[in-house]
């Protein structure tokens, strides 16, 4: 499925009918009533008083499921229905259903008995990105998932007003990323999944009434709040990565919650798994929770009459821990694989040298400081350069890490990754306006690839537009083009591949095809339309087949398989297919990102719906299944009937790189100063504790810092941020130091405080044009 | 999640461990020497938990060590007229007969509060006061209960009026501070300044409330001096408990230092009293409050506005990780201050130790974060030994006259459970 931030939400309001009261505060909706399965890519769902469910299925249009299970297609799939990404729904008082096309910025009004009417929403000449719809009285409120604002329209989608949504006032907030909206009782509630907040606004004026939230799992906290609903007396907040739905009142006070994280994929019966939106019936008696991860909508009713429902509190995880939950992203280069886990905002590195790859390190973690992550939507690996690149559109940064490997056999090392530098995405956003590239005024990348060839750099795919950018090695855009128009239009872009230095391929999930473009410039080179793909997601070029035809491997998220496609000219044929729907080893559930590893001859696929990675050979024959937890491999014995557990032998270190020289340890001098090169090699940083030689425990201290350019020792003219953290405990200091620039290249950080003994890392982040380059040291306090 | 809190067992290993400073006084000379049952690792860790030194200086309170201020504070501490109903004094919840703590799980003053009353013993050694650290000085904490609805439910003006209206208190005020108690119409600034003095007098008294040397301290000192009979200060059970405390039970990771507390904040997943969702945000809810409190170390009433504590409090940062974090309490005299935990969830030390051993009922809402704690799976005897060791941390309490209400008879009940010498070398009952 799409990464959390690109997931879409919807909101319902039915307002003017008098109805029996929904559950009182404390009662919640914990009673599971029934489940509607088989709703592939369901992004939003409405439920009527009689139990009829209306579901938006992304590129699959809108379907209506009656109480007896009969399905009717209310809005056909793309292209017939003219909506490429049905992402939000609202029911209007006259019975029409409004459907938001998140990818293309329009609203379709659908009647059961007539064709849809499509209205494009443009502001300042640019389409918006509608992620939520709410109706109150005679107005339709649209949450914009690009620029953080609410677009106020009449019931025909003519724009009447726009209200900006502000970030929180404390701390260092991120630009809000709206994900849902609901309306009720004169109030709007809108969710900001960048700052993990919900904000209540007056429906008449857009003035802020209250706000609630921080990133976390405790009451009053969220992890990516998405779609919102209104049940007649309270708002329903879908707290996606906490796997629960929370009811809040108009002042954003928490009333109750229900839902517990599903322990195994496909578990249901009240367990919730990555929900995107919750809506209530008009009478407030039933709520519908859309879970695209499970391709289902679950219906819940009020809690039983036994009294206020006490949500069950999960205990500590088992000693073995919980398996990781990978997002859709996947990057491979050499023998290094990089995946990402949204719940913990962490990136994981696997070493592909063993027969079953080994997890060697995890880095990142949630937070706003350099080296920490808001949410990552695209990954790239450049093993030769020893760089792991992450795109974090919430923090607005390209973040590059390096691995310090000691050349031995693959092994787990929690300290292997180091932040090298961060580059701001502002240059890319300015590029959009300067070049007047079509699409919304925000960049939400969904894929990044290292560009082969002598120029190096990157190519990035932006869901807004959609657009493609060519970036240089410093992530500055050198060219870009929008994927619009008849000859190169992509309705819903998911992934990107670079078969050569001058060609890009983009998967169109709605159009079920692959578009080819020249880079730079974007001249269309053709379209590949393999037959039989249900809902394609990922793409990886393969070596040409024996017949000389180009080959590409694709994942079909809707068809739960890996397909190898041979293409030449206008012809495209699926020549091999692997995987089938399910959760056992070798089976797939919504396979997403895919990458080809030439050294292994393996395709690596994030089997997103099964929380693991699986590998196939170039003919799509299944080879292995692994992640955090048990691994399985194809048995060598031809008599064996099924996958076997991996034997777990680790190979020798042959071919392993020792990268310690690139990121040397600090060296303490006799003069009391310690010195280290910055992690990208441009600067030399020296520091000294005051009082020294080691900082005191639990008392404030200062650090004198000197920065010079590597090579000619010229003084550093920029700014510096000093920080420290205990990586084993996952926390930093409890205080914020102040850094003063005493002279060019000379700083003093005051008010540092190490409140616990143990291993502390020091971070000196040199401010560079909106980003940073890091130098780091460490000290152990006993 | 991989990157999250690792079991604390992994840190602190290796290397010489210097004695941690409790702010103010240096470490005592020498430290218990390894030998026999006290191996090198244990000895190193025990060295970080020396006997409590003298109460550290408090430059934010210029009357901290004033005898007359302490006498005034002594009177105020036990004076119930300072509450709205006239029935609640500090001693109501901080009872000298109960280790200056409260046998009720939740504090009951003018109303019932959300938390258990912590002991005031040794509070002068802590950097942060109360379970959530909402005060950064002893005197800054002392003024808070007066105006809290469920504690004393009063106002600063009324408190000052009561003091002014009592000739004995008013006289002592003049002696202690060299000025009069301001009248009712004195203006907000004068009222606030005088209110701060109320806190400073109380703090001067509270600085007298120390627990005194315990069997553990006597053992530590004698062992550090090389006294061969030092082990006689502890019973066999207490010795075994000590080895667990500083060994495989890992208690020392947070309960280190002379205070047996790191003075910092942790979320150990302690479930709420009534089960269900945790609702007490702990440290998370008060960081901004501490920073902005006019009665903090950096504020106008502090006598050391640019000192260490002021600088720390000014630069505090909050974050979602602080939700549900509470301050590590000191374990000294813990045997006398049941029940335990921030809402009195654990009635006895045995229940506390059982919780750490089994982690039964511990709540962990974010399933991707590893807990701070790992199950210890201690046997029944090991748990009993730990409880015995905690008993060896009890001292006799403060000296007279501070250990009782002014003019009262010596307290009827012992401050601490008896620690009879006859136990020390007896074999434990077999289990």
């Amino acid at each position: 499925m799409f990464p959390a931030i690109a997931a879409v939400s919807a909101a319902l309001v039915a307002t003017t009918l008098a109805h029996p009261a929904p559950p009182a505060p404390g009662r919640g909706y914990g009673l599971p009533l029934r489940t509607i399965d088989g709703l592939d890519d369901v992004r939003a769902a409405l439920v009527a008083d009689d139990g009829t469910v209306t579901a938006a299925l992304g590129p699959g249009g809108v379907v209506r499921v009656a109480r007896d299970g009969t399905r009717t297609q209310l809005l056909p799939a793309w292209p017939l229905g003219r909506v490429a990404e049905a992402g939000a729904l609202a029911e209007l008082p006259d019975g029409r259903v409004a459907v938001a096309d998140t990818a293309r910025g329009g609203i379709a009004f659908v009647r059961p008995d007539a064709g849809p009417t499509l209205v494009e929403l443009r502001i300042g000449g640019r389409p918006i990105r509608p992620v939520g719809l709410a109706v109150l009285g005679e107005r339709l409120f649209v949450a914009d998932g690009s620029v953080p604002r609410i677009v106020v329209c009449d019931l025909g989608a003519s724009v009447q007003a726009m209200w900006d949504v502000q970030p929180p006032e404390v701390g260092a907030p991120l630009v809000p990323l709206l994900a849902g909206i609901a309306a009720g009782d004169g109030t709007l509630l809108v969710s900001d999944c960048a700052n993990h907040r919900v904000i209540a606004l007056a429906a008449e004026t857009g003035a802020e009434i209250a706000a609630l939230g921080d990133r976390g799992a405790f009451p009053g906290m969220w992890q990516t709040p998405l779609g919102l609903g209104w049940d007649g007396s309270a708002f329903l907040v879908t707290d996606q990565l906490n796997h629960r739905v929370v009811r809040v009142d108009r002042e954003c006070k928490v009333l109750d919650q229900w839902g517990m994280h599903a322990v195994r994929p496909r578990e249901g019966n009240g367990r919730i798994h990555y929900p995107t939106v919750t809506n209530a019936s008009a009478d407030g008696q039933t709520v519908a929770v859309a879970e695209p991860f499970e391709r289902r909508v679950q219906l819940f009713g009020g809690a039983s009459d036994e009294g206020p429902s006490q949500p069950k509190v999960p205990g500590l995880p088992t000693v073995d821990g919980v398996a990781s939950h990978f997002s859709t992203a996947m990057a491979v280069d050499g023998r290094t694989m990089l995946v990402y886990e949204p719940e913990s905002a962490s990136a994981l590195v696997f070493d592909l040298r063993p027969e079953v790859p080994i997890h060697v390190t995890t880095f990142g973690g949630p937070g706003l400081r350099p080296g920490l992550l808001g949410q990552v939507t695209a990954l790239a690996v450049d093993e030769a350069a020893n760089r792991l690149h992450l795109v974090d559109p919430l923090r607005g940064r390209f973040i590059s890490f390096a691995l310090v490997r000691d050349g031995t056999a693959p092994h787990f090392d929690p300290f292997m990754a180091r932040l090298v530098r961060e580059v701001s995405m502002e240059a890319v956003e300015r590029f959009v306006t300067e070049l007047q590239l079509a699409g919304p005024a925000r960049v939400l990348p969904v894929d990044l690839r290292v560009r082969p060839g002598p120029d190096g750099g990157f190519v990035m795919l932006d869901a807004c537009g959609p657009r493609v950018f060519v970036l240089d090695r410093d992530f500055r855009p050198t060219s870009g083009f929008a994927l619009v128009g008849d000859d190169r239009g992509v309705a819903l872009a998911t992934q990107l591949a670079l078969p050569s230095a001058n060609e890009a391929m983009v998967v169109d999930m709605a159009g079920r095809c692959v578009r080819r473009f020249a880079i730079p410039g974007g001249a269309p080179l053709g379209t590949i339309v393999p037959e039989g793909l249900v809902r394609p997601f990922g793409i990886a070029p393969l070596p040409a087949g024996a017949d000389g035809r180009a080959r590409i491997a694709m994942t079909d998220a809707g068809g739960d398989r890996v397909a190898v496609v041979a293409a030449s000219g206008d012809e495209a044929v699926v020549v091999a297919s692997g995987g089938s729907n399910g959760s056992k080893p070798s089976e797939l559930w919504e396979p997403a990102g895919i990458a080809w590893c030439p050294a292994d001859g393996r395709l690596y696929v994030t089997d997103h719906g099964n929380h693991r990675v699986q590998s196939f050979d170039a003919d799509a024959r299944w080879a292995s299944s692994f992640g955090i937890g048990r691994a399985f491999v194809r048995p060598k014995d031809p008599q064996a009937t099924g996958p076997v557990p991996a034997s777990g032998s680790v190979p020798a270190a042959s071919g392993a790189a020792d990268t310690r020289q690139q990121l040397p340890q600090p060296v303490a001098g006799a003069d009391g100063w310690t010195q280290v090169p910055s992690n990208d090699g441009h600067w030399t940083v020296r520091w000294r504790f005051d009082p020294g030689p080691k900082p005191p425990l639990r008392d404030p201290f200062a650090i004198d810092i000197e920065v010079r350019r590597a090579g000619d020792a010229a003084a550093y003219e920029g700014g510096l941020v000093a920080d420290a953290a205990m990586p084993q405990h996952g926390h930093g200091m409890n205080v914020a130091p102040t850094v003063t620039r005493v002279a060019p290249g000379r700083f003093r950080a005051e008010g540092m405080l190490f409140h616990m003994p143990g291993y502390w890392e020091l971070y000196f982040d040199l401010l560079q044009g909106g980003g940073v380059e890091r130098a780091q040291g460490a000290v152990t306090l006993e | 999640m991989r990157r999250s809190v690792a079991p604390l067992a992994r840190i602190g290993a290796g290397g010489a461990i210097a004695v941690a400073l409790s702010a103010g006084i240096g470490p005592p000379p020498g430290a218990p020497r390894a030998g026999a049952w006290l191996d090198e690792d244990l000895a190193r860790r025990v060295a970080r938990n020396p006997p409590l030194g003298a109460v550290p200086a408090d430059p934010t309170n210029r009357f901290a060590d004033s005898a007359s201020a302490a006498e005034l504070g002594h009177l105020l501490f036990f004076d119930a007229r300072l509450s709205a109903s006239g029935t609640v004094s500090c001693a109501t919840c901080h009872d000298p007969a109960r280790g200056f703590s409260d046998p009720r799980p939740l504090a009951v003053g003018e109303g019932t509060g959300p938390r258990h009353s912590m002991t005031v013993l040794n509070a002068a050694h802590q950097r942060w006061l109360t379970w959530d650290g909402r005060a950064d000085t002893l005197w800054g904490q002392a003024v808070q209960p007066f105006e809290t609805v469920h504690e004393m439910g009063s106002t600063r003006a009324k408190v000052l009026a009561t003091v002014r209206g009592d000739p004995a208190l008013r006289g002592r005020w003049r002696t202690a501070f060299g000025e009069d108690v301001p009248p009712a119409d004195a203006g907000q600034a004068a009222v606030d300044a005088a209110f701060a003095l109320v806190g400073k007098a109380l703090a001067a008294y509270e600085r007298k409330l120390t627990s005194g040397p315990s069997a553990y301290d006597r053992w530590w000192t004698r062992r550090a001096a090389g006294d061969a009979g030092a082990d006689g200060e502890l019973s066999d059970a207490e010795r075994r408990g000590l080895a667990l405390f500083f060994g495989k039970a890992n208690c020392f990771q947070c309960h280190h230092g002379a205070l047996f507390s790191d003075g910092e904040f942790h979320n150990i997943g302690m479930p709420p009293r009534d089960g269900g969702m945790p609702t007490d945000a702990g440290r998370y809810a008060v960081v901004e409050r501490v920073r902005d409190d006019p009665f903090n170390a950096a504020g106008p009433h502090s006598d050391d506005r640019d000192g260490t504590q002021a600088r720390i409090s000014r630069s505090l940062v909050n974050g979602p990780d602080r939700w549900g974090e509470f301050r590590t309490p000191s374990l000294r005299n813990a045997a006398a201050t049941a029940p335990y935990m921030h809402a009195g969830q654990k009635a006895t030390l045995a229940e506390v130790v059982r919780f750490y051993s089994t982690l039964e009922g511990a709540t962990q809402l974010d399933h991707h974060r590893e807990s701070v704690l790992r199950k210890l799976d201690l046997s029944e005897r090991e748990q009993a030994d730990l409880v015995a060791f905690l008993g060896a941390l009890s001292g006799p309490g403060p000296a007279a006259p501070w250990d009782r209400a002014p003019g009262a008879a010596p307290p009827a009940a012992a401050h601490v459970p008896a620690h009879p010498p006859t136990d020390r070398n007896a074999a434990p009952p077999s289990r």
Side-chain angles (χ1 to χ4, degrees), chain A residues 34-120:
Chain A
R34 63 190 167 99
T35 301
I36 302 165
D37 285 308
L39 294 172
D40 188 42
D41 207 8
V42 57
R43 311 294 193 84
L46 307 177
V47 58
D49 290 351
D50 66 358
T52 306
V53 169
T54 306
L57 304 181
V62 177
V63 79
R64 190 156 262 181
V65 184
R67 188 75 177 78
D68 62 3
T70 333
R71 297 186 181 205
T72 44
Q73 194 81 24
L74 201 61
L75 180 73
W78 174 267
L80 199 56
R82 298 159 65 202
V83 167
E85 189 179 12
L89 295 174
E91 187 161 1
L92 274 56
D94 61 5
R96 287 179 298 158
V97 174
V99 184
D101 187 345
T102 303
R104 294 165 64 80
I107 311 254
F109 294 95
V110 181
R111 272 188 208 284
D113 49 348
T117 314
L118 194 64
V119 177
E120 275 192 5

Side-chain angles (χ1 to χ4, degrees), chain B residues 100-262:
Chain B
F100 285 85
S101 170
D102 187 352
R104 294 170 294 194
L106 298 177
V108 179
E110 295 289 356
T112 303
R115 303 239 181 95
H116 176 241
S117 304
M118 295 183 111
T119 179
V120 183
L121 292 176
N122 301 326
H125 289 265
Q126 287 277 9
R127 164 164 282 158
W128 304 106
L129 284 313
T130 74
W131 283 108
D132 52 22
R134 61 180 175 269
D136 62 354
T137 60
L138 202 56
W139 59 270
Q141 185 282 325
V143 298
Q144 288 178 359
F146 290 113
E147 296 183 320
T148 305
V149 160
H150 63 261
E151 291 178 299
M152 297 172 77
S154 185
T155 67
R156 58 194 70 175
K158 285 197 232 168
V159 165
L160 291 170
T162 304
V163 175
R164 192 175 158 92
D166 177 327
L169 288 177
R170 191 171 175 184
R172 288 203 184 267
W173 181 288
R174 281 201 278 255
T175 309
F177 302 128
E179 61 187 47
D180 198 1
V181 186
D185 57 0
Q188 195 61 46
V191 166
D192 288 350
F195 194 48
L197 291 177
V198 170
K200 290 180 180 176
L202 282 166
Y205 164 62
E206 288 170 3
R207 287 167 65 81
K208 309 291 187 195
L209 300 179
T210 54
S211 54
S214 64
Y216 168 81
D217 296 326
R218 287 190 290 278
W219 168 85
W220 198 101
T221 309
R222 288 178 64 186
R223 185 116 188 177
D227 181 340
D231 286 352
E233 295 283 356
L234 300 174
S235 71
D236 285 347
E238 289 162 357
R239 269 204 303 280
R240 287 192 302 268
L242 185 154
L244 286 166
F245 187 96
F246 291 99
K248 85 169 191 187
N250 272 322
C251 316
F252 69 95
Q253 299 281 6
C254 295
H255 292 283
H256 65 250
L259 258 189
F260 280 76
S261 157
D262 62 4

Side-chain angles (χ1 to χ4, degrees), chain A residues 305-325:
Chain A
D305 280 327
E306 279 151 20
S309 65
Q310 197 59 271
K312 280 171 58 181
V313 178
L316 291 178
T318 64
V319 173
D320 299 317
V322 179
S324 280
H325 304 79

Side-chain angles (χ1 to χ4, degrees), chain B residues 261-275:
Chain B
S261 157
D262 62 4
E264 286 300 328
F265 302 90
H266 307 282
N267 182 340
I268 61 171
M270 180 59 51
R273 284 196 67 74
D274 53 352

